[in-house]
Amino acid sequence: MICFIIANPQTYPPPGEGICDEGWGEYGSHCYFFETTETATWRQAQIKCVEKHLTASLASVANPQENMYLAQELSARDPQNGAWIGMYASSNGIYLL
């Protein structure tokens, strides 16, 4: 699973101190948490994100650059497996974020 939170620019720390908690990766104004050692259903993964941080959810990909960052980070951690992100199929087969 890949969890993310939107970092609040109003609470950014001083330069050089980073905006993300320990164990979370920073990209743009988002913080990401990569979990590649546990298996879970999509719903379980979403719950685990909230357990990591109250405002976290499964990551959604907004642009090709963010997709590349997530793919590279995931590949570096576990090149054999994928991870859940926020997209899911509705009952009529349409994918939603």
Side-chain angles (χ1 to χ4, degrees), residues 15-42:
E17 292 189 21
I19 60 172
C20 302
D21 292 341
E22 187 174 333
W24 291 70
E26 179 182 335
Y27 180 80
S29 62
H30 296 121
C31 299
Y32 295 91
F33 182 85
F34 296 84
E35 174 58 68
T36 59
T37 60
E38 296 181 30
T39 58
T41 65
W42 184 92

Side-chain angles (χ1 to χ4, degrees), residues 1 3 5 21 24 33-35 38 46-56:
M1 74 184 176
C3 306
I5 56 175
D21 292 341
W24 291 70
F33 182 85
F34 296 84
E35 174 58 68
E38 296 181 30
Q46 177 63 26
I47 291 168
K48 287 179 185 233
C49 285
V50 174
E51 289 172 351
K52 293 285 179 193
H53 192 284
L54 288 178
T55 63

